[in-house]
Amino acid sequence: MRRLVKAEFRRLFTTALWRWGPLAAVVCGGVLVGLATLVGPENFEPSMPGVRTEEGVRTVLSLTGLTVIVPALFGATAVTSEYRHKTITFTFLFAPRRQTVLAAKLLTYAVAGAAYGLVVTTSAAVGLYGGAALRGVSVGAGPGTVAELLLRLAAAMTVYTMLGVGIGALLRNQTAALAALGLYLYMVEHALALIPGVNLIYPYLPGGATAALTNFNLITQAAEEISVSSAQLLPPVLGALVLAAYAVTATALAIGVPMRRDVT
């Protein structure tokens, strides 16, 4: 297992993911949060509390929840690229026990997802305090509150990386996996959140659980804006448990599905 994990990290560092990943993290964290802080949530449409308040700080930082597709795409690419470039055959010849190979991939990309999450949250903190300083306003939440929310966001990024690995193992086709993730995360889930009656399941979907964990309530607010009764989000702890359940499901898919398939 140690050799396989080491090999996976070597493979990761030979791809463009390790170069583009940190850049994407800085954009999704620092640039997004920094611009939102400079503009001011009170100037959004609809208007929201400014960063002088704790609620405003939570709103601005939770915007990074919109970018969970990035680590999910990285996770999916980790698996599908091997099928696309036909290297998966040599991987399984080198290590015939597929479950060990796939477990090594999951472990490697869980660590990579956690690292991505830490870069996102660190840059988001810089964007928040830097934007507030440029505007000449104080941040309405203490360092402990900010750190707690950022750690929740980092955990969500880690889970979505593992979800991406599971989707990649299930679909194997890179284009199909990336399209499915984008379609689901930005269209299907949002549509389900806005349909009366159907939106009762939204809190238990990955997006709803992430919203509960990261205090991202823009989707439920959008439902209320169009006079749709929105579903109540879960408490943060339950949201974390639901996300953990999805991570376990992704692990089972990533390890179990390829065991029952031919490589080609």
Side-chain angles (χ1 to χ4, degrees):
M1 175 62 79
R2 286 195 297 270
R3 289 196 297 270
L4 286 171
V5 170
K6 187 176 181 180
E8 283 296 327
F9 273 112
R10 282 181 175 175
R11 194 177 74 85
L12 172 62
F13 289 129
T14 61
T15 67
L17 287 179
W18 79 273
R19 294 190 294 272
W20 289 107
L23 177 61
V26 171
V27 172
C28 294
V31 175
L32 179 61
V33 171
L35 287 175
T37 304
L38 281 172
V39 173
E42 65 273 18
N43 297 316
F44 289 0
E45 184 60 41
S47 179
M48 298 178 183
V51 293
R52 293 183 181 88
T53 67
E54 181 175 320
E55 185 180 355
V57 171
R58 290 181 178 274
T59 298
V60 167
L61 290 179
S62 69
L63 290 175
T64 56
L66 287 170
T67 67
V68 292
I69 191 173
V70 177
L73 294 179
F74 289 160
T77 302
V79 179
T80 57
S81 62
E82 288 226 52
Y83 287 99
R84 180 181 182 183
H85 299 292
K86 309 298 183 182
T87 57
I88 193 70
T89 303
F90 299 101
T91 301
F92 285 149
L93 285 174
F94 171 73
R97 294 182 178 179
R98 294 187 185 185
Q99 68 272 22
T100 308
V101 173
L102 297 163
K105 286 185 180 294
L106 274 168
L107 180 58
T108 300
Y109 280 89
V111 173
Y116 174 88
L118 288 176
V119 176
V120 168
T121 53
T122 300
S123 59
V126 172
L128 171 67
Y129 288 105
L134 288 174
R135 287 187 63 197
V137 299
S138 59
V139 175
T145 301
V146 172
E148 178 191 353
L149 183 56
L150 291 177
L151 286 175
R152 294 184 194 177
L153 288 164
M157 299 295 175
T158 305
V159 171
Y160 273 87
T161 307
M162 298 178 70
L163 287 175
V165 173
I167 295 298
L170 181 64
L171 298 181
R172 298 200 295 186
N173 182 281
Q174 192 169 63
T175 302
L178 302 187
L181 283 168
L183 182 67
Y184 176 76
L185 291 176
Y186 288 132
M187 294 186 66
V188 175
E189 272 201 343
H190 292 177
L192 291 175
L194 300 176
I195 300 174
V198 178
N199 60 7
L200 294 177
I201 68 171
Y202 175 71
Y204 302 95
L205 298 177
T210 303
L213 179 63
T214 62
N215 197 53
F216 181 75
N217 56 7
L218 295 185
I219 303 301
T220 54
Q221 288 179 352
E224 293 171 358
E225 285 291 321
I226 59 175
S227 300
V228 173
S229 179
S230 61
Q232 184 69 33
L233 293 177
L234 299 172
V237 174
L238 289 181
L241 291 175
V242 171
L243 272 183
Y246 280 111
V248 171
T249 303
T251 301
L253 285 174
I255 294 177
V257 171
M259 294 287 293
R260 300 176 177 273
R261 285 178 172 173
D262 291 334
V263 174
T264 58

